[in-house]
Amino acid sequence: MTRMDQHPYQPPGPRRPDGSEHPSQGHRHGHGHARVQAPAQEQTQAHGHGAGHGHSHSHGPAAPVSRHLRKVIAAILVPFTAAVVVGLVVLWPGGAPSHKHSGVGFDRQTQQATVTRVVEVSCASVNASGGAPTGGGSGGTAAGQTPGGTCKKATVRVDTGKDRGRTFTEIVQPDQPRQLHQGEQVVTAYEPTAPKDLQYSVTDVNRTFPMALLAGVFALAVVVVGRLRGVMALVALAVSFLVLNQFILPAILQGSNPLLVAVIGSSAIMLIALYMCHGLSARTSVAVLGTLISLALIGLLGSAFIGWAALTGNTDDSTGLIHGLYPKLDMSGLLLAGVIIGSLGVLDDVTVTQTSAVWELHEANPTMGPRGLYRAAIRIGRDHIASVVNTLVLAYAGAALPLLLLFSIAQSSVGAVANSELVAEEIVRTLVGSIGLVASVPVTTALAALVVAADRSAPETETSTGGHPLPTRGGRGRRRKR
């Protein structure tokens, strides 16, 4: 009685079978407290029996749902997965189509080079003597506009390509934002049709090492903190980039419908990433279903409002260059594809979090019905919605900050700014994605609550037959956490 008084909490009887019926308990006779389950277990633990078994029930993965529910989920996801695989096979592009380089923007030949020497010269003397030309990619004003200034004359050696070892001269103006330094690794543009002394010009700095170092630090942090789960996340990330670069982008360039390609590619990324990171389970399958429904909503809303707002998707130099190289490409469809792909990453986070919240709530209180599970989990989801939507809006605003500064300089009204196609695209992209994120919370929470609550009575029905399926079903006793 002293030990019982130390544990006043009395869990309800229906939560698990009577302790005397548990196959691992050796004291099913002679105890007057057989109807009070928790003290009965504590008595057996005091005698050294069942302690390890009871502790093992408090940890480990969630018990799987019933076979019937697994069949229902598989009946939905297996055909969907098969359709995605068929779509990948049918639309697989086999590589991006080749084209002749235009020499404009990113569509030009480049080579790696090294700055071997930098000397200071008078800008006036360089201009008057007709010295080496100013590199077209370095920016800044012409040499003659700063006759009294001091320019830099850089000798650059080409390190790759058929002209490896060849040197050329680059004149750097004093007001240019990028100054060249001796020993610096740079990227040069190559135009074979230009005169020989104008074929090469410095366009950018070679950032391979710092970018690779940053990627390595990121991967190390993920593995150290996430361990095996982090490793799988990195593998899933690599697969996502593979699908994007080997399927989505080449298929769009080959002329396939951008929306269809984006849906199939995003679905493939979703299936691979979620199951690889979170395991092949009913919990992950519910997150997949919630993500799929939300993506469908984003696709419908995006298609409707992109068409209604008459957004062409051709708003800047990059999209203009793409349209010039591939005039048959559906630019508005490309915009919609970007909305779907951009929303997928945040959707995965929301749906997995909500599904896990419902499962953990059920683990803590197995007697909670679907309505109670939904109400408890949706409170978590509301906090998630607030943070995710704010993050998404700020991410788009940060990416478009130079554009917003231009409108601010022009002192344009808010209405005029929002009405311009450049900003309207970002507004549609942000709001459509946010609506899908908001909808994913109640949809995924409701699906998860229905699945775990529907499975709630299965072990109780089985144990009433007199058999011992409870341990083989994964042990419902571990669902009660203290």
Side-chain angles (χ1 to χ4, degrees):
M1 292 300 293
T2 302
R3 285 190 297 270
M4 291 175 61
D5 292 338
Q6 294 174 351
H7 302 276
Y9 172 71
Q10 303 293 335
R15 290 193 178 183
R16 61 182 297 173
D18 182 49
S20 60
E21 296 178 0
H22 200 289
S24 66
Q25 304 291 340
H27 293 74
R28 60 177 303 173
H29 61 277
H31 286 288
H33 300 287
R35 295 178 60 85
V36 184
Q37 297 156 0
Q41 293 173 359
E42 290 161 6
Q43 290 175 5
T44 57
Q45 291 173 4
H47 289 287
H49 297 279
H53 182 79
H55 179 75
S56 65
H57 274 208
S58 300
H59 302 280
V65 298
S66 64
R67 182 177 300 176
H68 173 70
L69 285 177
R70 289 200 300 270
K71 289 181 178 180
V72 172
I73 295 173
I76 300 173
L77 290 181
V78 169
F80 170 71
T81 304
V84 171
V85 173
V86 171
L88 288 173
V89 173
V90 172
L91 296 178
W92 193 264
S98 59
H99 70 279
K100 185 178 180 180
H101 288 283
S102 65
V104 179
F106 291 103
D107 190 39
R108 52 187 170 181
Q109 301 182 48
T110 59
Q111 301 294 343
Q112 304 299 317
T114 303
V115 179
T116 58
R117 185 185 180 194
V118 177
V119 295
E120 293 185 351
V121 296
S122 170
C123 293
S125 64
V126 171
N127 184 61
S129 64
T134 303
S138 298
T141 59
Q145 295 179 355
T146 55
T150 301
C151 296
K152 290 183 178 180
K153 183 178 180 181
T155 302
V156 184
R157 183 190 67 238
V158 179
D159 295 332
T160 59
K162 64 182 183 65
D163 292 330
R164 181 177 181 180
R166 176 179 168 181
T167 61
F168 66 95
T169 302
E170 185 88 5
I171 302 299
V172 183
Q173 306 297 324
D175 60 343
Q176 287 180 201
R178 180 179 299 116
Q179 298 291 315
L180 299 180
H181 307 283
Q182 184 172 343
E184 188 174 23
Q185 303 293 316
V186 295
V187 178
T188 62
Y190 172 61
E191 179 50 59
T193 61
K196 187 172 183 179
D197 58 345
L198 298 177
Q199 288 181 340
Y200 285 94
S201 62
V202 176
T203 60
D204 210 341
V205 174
N206 188 344
R207 304 179 180 88
T208 302
F209 178 74
M211 300 300 289
L213 179 61
L214 181 60
V217 172
F218 163 74
L220 180 63
V222 171
V223 172
V224 169
V225 177
R227 298 184 180 181
L228 181 59
R229 188 68 62 88
V231 173
M232 299 307 296
L234 292 177
V235 174
L237 180 63
V239 173
S240 299
F241 274 107
L242 185 66
V243 173
L244 182 64
N245 290 319
Q246 299 298 319
F247 172 71
I248 295 179
L249 299 180
I252 291 176
L253 292 178
Q254 290 281 12
S256 300
N257 184 285
L259 177 58
L260 181 61
V261 171
V263 169
I264 294 176
S266 298
S267 300
I269 291 173
M270 173 186 66
L271 291 171
I272 295 172
L274 287 180
Y275 283 118
M276 185 174 292
C277 293
H278 305 285
L280 187 63
S281 64
R283 179 187 298 193
T284 307
S285 299
V286 171
V288 169
L289 289 174
T291 305
L292 178 61
I293 295 172
S294 302
L295 278 179
L297 177 61
I298 290 173
L300 292 175
L301 289 175
S303 178
F305 281 93
I306 287 175
W308 195 4
L311 299 177
T312 63
N314 189 1
T315 55
D316 55 21
D317 293 340
S318 298
T319 54
L321 177 60
I322 294 172
H323 184 65
L325 294 173
Y326 301 93
K328 296 183 179 180
L329 186 62
D330 182 8
M331 299 303 295
S332 60
L334 184 63
L335 173 62
L336 180 57
V339 173
I340 294 175
I341 295 173
S343 302
L344 177 61
V346 189
L347 272 178
D348 288 351
D349 172 56
V350 173
T351 54
V352 169
T353 300
Q354 285 305 115
T355 305
S356 297
V358 173
W359 245 262
E360 292 303 322
L361 287 168
H362 182 62
E363 291 286 324
N365 187 0
T367 62
M368 189 181 295
R371 183 173 299 180
L373 286 171
Y374 179 84
R375 289 177 177 175
I378 202 66
R379 288 194 290 269
I380 302 173
R382 291 190 186 105
D383 292 336
H384 206 179
I385 287 174
S387 61
V388 168
V389 169
N390 193 46
T391 300
L392 190 63
V393 171
L394 291 179
Y396 282 126
L401 195 58
L403 176 63
L404 297 178
L405 282 175
L406 289 177
F407 282 108
S408 178
I409 293 171
Q411 296 183 349
S412 302
S413 64
V414 176
V417 172
N419 190 62
S420 66
E421 185 170 0
L422 274 171
V423 178
E425 279 189 4
E426 298 303 324
I427 292 175
V428 170
R429 192 194 313 270
T430 302
L431 296 184
V432 167
S434 298
I435 291 172
L437 292 176
V438 172
S440 68
V441 172
V443 168
T444 307
T445 304
L447 286 174
L450 289 174
V451 168
V452 296
D455 192 52
R456 178 165 55 95
S457 61
E460 297 173 2
T461 303
E462 292 174 2
T463 53
S464 64
T465 61
H468 304 287
L470 183 59
T472 61
R473 284 290 309 274
R476 305 292 285 192
R478 71 178 171 215
R479 292 183 177 270
R480 185 181 64 192
K481 295 183 178 181
R482 297 183 183 179

